[in-house]
Amino acid sequence: PSHPQRKPKITASRKLLLKSLMLAKAKECWEQEHEEREAEKARYLAERIPTLQTRGLSLSALQDLCRDLHAKVEVVDEERYDIEAKCLHNTREIKDLKLKVLDLRGKFKRPPLRRVRVSADAMLRALLGSKHKVSMDLRANLKSVKKEDTEKERPVEVGDWRKNVEAMSGMEGRKKMFDAAKSPTSQ
């Protein structure tokens, strides 16, 4: 069935305008976030790193200061290396897990659901927990029906199956089956 083409709710020019406005807003937000990050970095560095007073220090005092700074740089470099290694490991693990998810999504088949028999008491206990005290016997309200022993009355005939198939083929066989179905009820 061919449907007449519906007009889009938003015209192409309007869509383009909205897209350009969204991009401009996103760029503005990104620049603002970048500035905030730079300001946070500057504040953190000013807080953590004291200003150096090198005026009036002797040569041995300057050498001691340089040794201290080098030791601190080594510690920070070790920490940075450890963090980079952890990040690389995590990104590799994330990539592997994503591939596993994609792989499983293609292979996974829903298992057929099985019917589980749960009594009304067990269901109420599961839903209500220990609060459940009332026993519900739903089967007490059901009528009892006795099954007729028709299977016991008819002996099962065991014989050559080929004779049975030949006897039951065609219209005569159908008539025999019809008559056989009628006869036990008419007794």
Side-chain angles (χ1 to χ4, degrees):
S2 62
H3 297 285
Q5 282 200 342
R6 289 185 284 173
K7 285 188 175 182
K9 293 181 181 177
I10 301 175
T11 62
S13 59
R14 175 89 172 130
K15 198 181 283 187
L16 190 65
L17 175 70
L18 288 172
K19 190 175 182 180
S20 63
L21 287 173
M22 284 172 62
L23 285 172
K25 181 67 176 167
K27 185 180 179 188
E28 184 182 308
C29 287
W30 181 81
E31 286 172 352
Q32 184 179 357
E33 193 177 299
H34 186 68
E35 287 172 10
E36 286 174 1
R37 231 186 257 146
E38 288 295 322
E40 176 71 21
K41 184 179 177 183
R43 185 188 62 76
Y44 180 79
L45 289 175
E47 197 176 278
R48 298 278 286 185
I49 301 172
T51 54
L52 287 177
Q53 297 294 332
T54 54
R55 285 201 178 154
L57 291 177
S58 66
L59 183 63
S60 62
L62 283 173
Q63 286 175 341
D64 288 341
L65 181 64
C66 284
R67 282 190 200 101
D68 288 345
L69 290 175
H70 277 287
K72 287 180 181 178
V73 166
E74 282 180 17
V75 169
V76 169
D77 256 354
E78 286 175 8
E79 288 177 3
R80 183 184 56 82
Y81 178 79
D82 291 344
I83 291 171
E84 276 183 5
K86 282 181 184 176
C87 280
L88 280 172
H89 180 264
N90 287 344
T91 52
R92 222 177 285 127
E93 197 172 323
I94 288 170
K95 188 179 177 185
D96 290 346
L97 289 173
K98 280 184 180 177
L99 287 173
K100 278 185 182 177
V101 165
L102 288 173
D103 200 30
L104 287 175
R105 211 180 268 164
K107 289 181 183 175
F108 184 73
K109 291 179 183 169
R110 272 200 169 148
L113 297 176
R114 288 179 286 150
R115 192 170 292 241
V116 179
R117 286 186 170 220
V118 179
S119 68
D121 289 331
M123 200 177 296
L124 284 171
R125 224 174 286 119
L127 289 172
L128 303 174
S130 59
K131 296 176 192 172
H132 173 64
K133 291 173 186 165
V134 180
S135 173
M136 284 185 63
D137 189 12
L138 297 174
R139 291 185 180 168
N141 298 334
L142 298 176
K143 294 178 183 176
S144 61
V145 177
K146 290 183 182 177
K147 289 187 179 179
E148 294 181 24
D149 297 332
T150 54
E151 287 100 22
K152 290 180 184 176
E153 289 176 8
R154 269 191 278 160
V156 179
E157 296 174 17
V158 179
D160 191 8
W161 62 272
R162 285 168 281 202
K163 289 179 185 173
N164 194 21
V165 169
E166 289 171 9
M168 292 297 180
S169 65
M171 287 304 283
E172 298 104 29
R174 291 194 183 164
K175 186 173 185 295
K176 285 179 190 173
M177 285 171 49
F178 182 72
D179 291 342
K182 267 179 139 181
S183 62
T185 55
S186 62
Q187 287 177 348

